[in-house]
Amino acid sequence: MKHNHRKEDIYFDHELNAWIINDAVIAKDILKNPSFTAFRKSKQIESIHTSQYNKDVMKEFYNHWLMYQKEGIDHTNMKRSVQRALNQSIARLSKSSVDASHLSLTKEQINVVNDISVPFLYSYLPRFYGISKMDYKNLLDIGVPLIDYIMLDNQDGDEIVKSIHKTRNYLIDLINKKKLDPNGFVWKLLEEAGQTMEVIDILLNMIIDGHRPFLSSVNALIYHTLNNKDMTFKVKDVLREYPPFPYIRRVCVNDTKYHDVIIKEEQHVLLMIQNINTDMNRYGLTFGHGIHYCLGVVIVTLGLERLYKQLDVLKDYTIKEYKWSRTFSFNELTILDIEKRLP
């Protein structure tokens, strides 16, 4: 790879026991390079102190998620099925009218997260998936331990496996009782790929794991709008500037050289999205790159563009208080309170 680079573009962090990548060219190459894999959950789960039964259930469940699936023809074919289902459900959603969840901007004081962002998601996402708002909320509640394992490294195997069984059974019950919109994404994917446990787990991954990053992006859009009242920016700019996930992790499977550095087999690399995105256009690496590129980009972009068109109602409001929660694994606005300016 022949391009000028700085020492801080790629270096080994002994505390994290991983290579840190801050260079867009190297990062994009890694995400396309078969010498690096996203398939890493099995080894991680095997180290948890829990029963072998729990480990086996967890490995099956998380290895079904497209973001962790082993690269190959099966993964490629499943992504194609997901893409076809997305195209059908998005086409229908694009023609429908989805409001911005009753913004309630008659109030002088507004809690953006609770009054605007969360109601918007509960209006938009259930309609996309083709499930009721109540069922969507129930799946999120039941699935909390599944996300806590990913986000907070909660290693309570019994709790996680209980949640896996409950969320699977809940979704299967919706399917069996025909409580799905036949034009929604869930039904379309079942038509494309069949009702297998892999498909069930992919749906749960999207529904449960996709909620919080989408919420983070909605909050970021509103925050950015309040700070840029001329509204000349694009949704893609916001998604690039405020990525919910600070990094992408990959594991090296074959020794690979970048400049004077050799990344060895089984070593981890962390592609630092926030840093890399400053040198990129469009979405940057917010949705990844290469074979594991996140297909949810279409869902998020369409939803944010719909909300964006209605945010001119914020012109009379100013930020009263805000708080970013930035951890090593996630970025989000936990507080965004606004108030109407005095005339």
Side-chain angles (χ1 to χ4, degrees):
M1 185 167 295
K2 298 179 179 179
H3 77 287
N4 295 327
H5 72 288
R6 303 159 298 178
K7 182 178 180 181
E8 60 268 25
D9 287 342
I10 177 170
Y11 63 92
F12 192 81
D13 188 301
H14 291 278
E15 185 177 349
L16 297 173
N17 194 30
W19 288 95
I20 305 300
I21 311 297
N22 287 308
D23 180 90
V25 175
I26 297 175
K28 291 175 71 174
D29 185 80
I30 287 173
L31 292 172
K32 295 189 297 182
N33 194 331
S35 291
F36 295 87
T37 183
F39 183 67
R40 55 185 172 81
K41 277 297 168 188
S42 291
K43 188 173 182 180
Q44 184 185 55
I45 291 169
E46 199 59 45
S47 66
I48 295 176
H49 296 292
T50 190
S51 69
Q52 191 59 49
Y53 170 78
N54 285 346
K55 293 177 183 179
D56 292 341
V57 172
M58 289 176 65
K59 283 188 285 187
E60 178 191 50
F61 179 71
Y62 287 107
N63 286 339
H64 281 161
W65 289 20
L66 287 175
M67 59 198 283
Y68 298 132
Q69 273 194 18
K70 191 169 186 177
E71 298 79 6
I73 189 64
D74 291 339
H75 174 260
T76 299
N77 288 338
M78 182 56 72
K79 284 201 75 170
R80 287 172 179 164
S81 294
V82 172
Q83 185 67 69
R84 288 193 295 269
L86 275 170
N87 292 343
Q88 296 174 63
S89 48
I90 285 292
R92 193 266 309 186
L93 192 61
S94 298
K95 297 174 183 177
S96 68
S97 60
V98 179
D99 61 30
S101 342
H102 311 294
L103 295 183
S104 302
L105 296 190
T106 55
K107 297 192 299 184
E108 300 290 322
Q109 310 276 338
I110 296 176
N111 178 321
V112 168
V113 178
N114 294 330
D115 295 341
I116 301 179
S117 301
V118 171
F120 174 73
L121 259 65
Y122 283 153
S123 170
Y124 176 73
L125 288 177
R127 186 174 298 196
F128 163 72
Y129 290 120
I131 61 180
S132 73
K133 188 182 298 185
M134 181 188 72
D135 289 326
Y136 179 74
K137 289 181 177 180
N138 287 343
L139 281 168
L140 293 181
D141 290 340
I142 299 169
V144 167
L146 308 179
I147 307 307
D148 284 351
Y149 168 62
I150 300 295
M151 296 282 197
L152 306 176
D153 197 28
N154 169 31
Q155 298 191 2
D156 187 335
D158 291 334
E159 184 181 34
I160 295 167
V161 168
K162 182 179 178 181
S163 180
I164 290 173
H165 289 319
K166 289 181 72 174
T167 51
R168 280 174 168 175
N169 290 337
Y170 194 102
L171 183 54
I172 291 170
D173 188 59
L174 293 181
I175 296 168
N176 292 340
K177 291 181 178 178
K178 295 181 170 53
K179 296 178 66 177
L180 302 171
D181 179 348
N183 293 310
F185 174 75
V186 174
W187 189 263
K188 292 300 182 184
L189 184 57
L190 292 169
E191 287 184 330
E192 288 288 343
Q195 187 179 329
T196 66
M197 194 57 73
E198 178 184 8
V199 171
I200 295 297
D201 292 344
I202 288 172
L203 288 167
L204 291 172
N205 168 208
M206 295 181 69
I207 293 169
I208 298 171
D209 190 42
H211 179 86
R212 191 173 168 193
F214 198 166
L215 177 60
S216 174
S217 296
V218 170
N219 290 332
L221 173 66
I222 297 171
Y223 172 80
H224 194 77
T225 300
L226 288 161
N227 286 301
N228 297 270
K229 295 293 180 63
D230 57 0
M231 296 185 71
T232 57
F233 60 90
K234 296 180 180 179
V235 163
K236 292 176 183 177
D237 300 329
V238 176
L239 290 167
R240 182 180 64 252
E241 187 172 343
Y242 305 97
F245 298 103
Y247 68 88
I248 301 171
R249 183 186 293 268
R250 291 292 183 265
V251 179
C252 184
V253 293
N254 293 299
D255 290 6
T256 305
K257 186 175 182 179
Y258 290 105
H259 308 301
D260 56 347
V261 165
I262 296 177
I263 301 176
K264 296 183 179 180
E265 182 180 348
E266 296 193 0
Q267 287 187 322
H268 288 224
V269 296
L270 302 179
L271 316 178
M272 309 310 292
I273 301 174
Q274 190 100 41
N275 298 337
I276 293 169
N277 278 4
T278 59
D279 297 323
M280 300 185 74
N281 55 21
R282 292 177 60 78
Y283 296 104
L285 291 184
T286 296
F287 294 93
H289 184 72
I291 192 171
H292 284 282
Y293 186 73
C294 178
L295 299 179
V297 58
V298 182
I299 312 166
V300 174
T301 302
L302 177 62
L304 293 189
E305 286 179 345
R306 289 192 163 196
L307 181 60
Y308 181 42
K309 291 176 182 178
Q310 303 185 53
L311 292 184
D312 59 340
V313 296
L314 295 176
K315 63 181 182 298
D316 295 327
Y317 287 82
T318 186
I319 296 175
K320 178 183 178 183
E321 182 182 4
Y322 73 96
K323 179 182 179 181
W324 280 97
S325 173
R326 301 185 187 276
T327 66
F328 187 68
S329 60
F330 200 71
N331 295 325
E332 62 183 337
L333 269 165
T334 53
I335 297 174
L336 182 55
D337 296 336
I338 61 177
E339 60 185 358
K340 204 162 191 176
R341 288 197 298 259
L342 293 175

